[in-house]
Amino acid sequence: MTARVRRFWWALAIIAAVMGGVSLSYVLATRSDRGRTWLLGVVERQATRIFGGRASLKVGVLYDIGLTHIIAGDVSLLDTAGVPVVHADSLVGRIDLVGVLFDKAIHIRTLSLRGVRMDLKQDFKGPWNIAHIISGDTTKALPTAKPGYSSDI
């Protein structure tokens, strides 16, 4: 066997081993209970990070997750006090594969909810409880620059 043929078989073996490892990791992460628990934690953390601490996402059951879809049940959006503002009995979403591979983030392209319940509350003068979650902090921030010497004095 020549060196060229040997290099070809080594390259082919390395490619096959990488593909086998990726395939095994995918199956373990999506088809085992431990893998689904880990993926559920990742999905909840990423969704909670989107709201910047104003809300958190809690998923009761992760039925199926794949490269292009997610199916979950008993999904709730909780405010900062831990009170559910929006609850859905089931959720079906289509995931963008490009975002998962290159942005290292889950981009949901379509979302279908069933059994949605919204618990909207409003203080006597204040905004609705979902307004803070959607719009973020709307308070005016004070300038952070301290007074000092500048060239325009």
Side-chain angles (χ1 to χ4, degrees):
M1 189 176 334
T2 66
R4 186 175 187 166
V5 172
R6 208 171 25 251
R7 279 192 305 261
F8 169 77
W9 285 111
W10 270 105
L12 189 64
I14 290 171
I15 291 171
V18 168
M19 288 178 60
V22 169
S23 299
L24 181 64
S25 298
Y26 172 76
V27 168
L28 289 175
T30 59
R31 302 293 177 228
S32 68
D33 290 336
R34 189 176 210 156
R36 284 183 197 218
T37 303
W38 174 77
L39 277 174
L40 181 60
V42 169
V43 169
E44 286 180 344
R45 279 191 304 277
Q46 283 192 359
T48 301
R49 193 174 339 144
I50 289 171
F51 294 109
R54 299 181 309 270
S56 60
L57 181 75
K58 293 297 175 197
V59 179
V61 181
L62 182 63
Y63 292 117
D64 191 20
I65 187 166
L67 290 175
T68 59
H69 66 280
I70 183 169
I71 301 171
D74 195 26
V75 181
S76 296
L77 181 65
L78 309 172
D79 63 4
T80 54
V83 177
V85 177
V86 179
H87 177 82
D89 292 335
S90 68
L91 174 142
V92 177
R94 189 174 60 85
I95 300 172
D96 183 23
L97 182 61
V98 176
V100 172
L101 294 177
F102 297 112
D103 294 343
K104 296 180 183 175
I106 297 173
H107 298 283
I108 297 178
R109 295 296 175 208
T110 61
L111 191 65
S112 173
L113 302 171
R114 294 198 178 167
V116 178
R117 292 184 301 279
M118 297 181 77
D119 186 20
L120 301 177
K121 294 180 182 175
Q122 182 181 27
D123 293 338
F124 189 66
K125 292 182 180 179
W128 292 94
N129 58 349
I130 200 167
H132 178 68
I133 295 172
I134 294 172
S135 64
D137 190 10
T138 58
T139 59
K140 301 289 184 193
L142 296 173
T144 57
K146 296 180 181 179
Y149 299 106
S150 68
S151 61
D152 62 350
I153 296 180

